[in-house]
Amino acid sequence: MMSVMSNTQKLNRELARKINQEALRNPRSPYANKFVGIANGQVVVVADDPDELARRLRQAEPDPAKTFWVEASHNYDQVEYIWSLR
């Protein structure tokens, strides 16, 4: 059965997309090169590393279905290949 995204998930993803576009266009954006956590359609965390992001995002919203995060300034349209694992 295919899952349907909730309105909250749609809001979170749309906000993440807008934040990332802003960060890619403007390197002086407060989100540029940061990990941005979103809960219930609002930015709740801006962190320098993914561990801090995860901890603070869980504190802000314990239900993971209501959260989303983005590494702002990352080009998600670019394909990256992994040639080997060590």
Side-chain angles (χ1 to χ4, degrees):
M1 183 174 164
M2 192 190 240
S3 134
V4 176
M5 246 195 294
S6 73
N7 283 340
T8 300
Q9 290 168 327
K10 289 176 187 175
L11 283 171
N12 290 348
R13 286 177 186 249
E14 181 60 22
L15 181 56
R17 188 186 64 75
K18 287 178 181 177
I19 287 169
N20 198 47
Q21 286 178 338
E22 174 188 325
L24 286 167
R25 276 193 316 269
N26 179 6
R28 297 184 133 193
S29 163
Y31 304 117
N33 300 303
K34 302 283 185 178
F35 292 89
V36 181
I38 299 166
N40 303 306
Q42 296 186 13
V43 173
V44 294
V45 179
V46 179
D48 290 318
D49 65 75
D51 293 331
E52 178 187 0
L53 169 86
R55 182 180 52 75
R56 291 177 52 202
L57 191 54
R58 268 193 306 271
Q59 288 173 348
E61 175 53 73
D63 182 355
K66 297 178 182 176
T67 65
F68 196 82
W69 67 271
V70 63
E71 183 178 355
S73 303
H74 182 79
N75 184 352
Y76 287 97
D77 293 328
Q78 179 180 339
V79 176
E80 296 180 19
Y81 296 97
I82 300 174
W83 292 99
S84 68
L85 297 174
R86 294 180 184 213

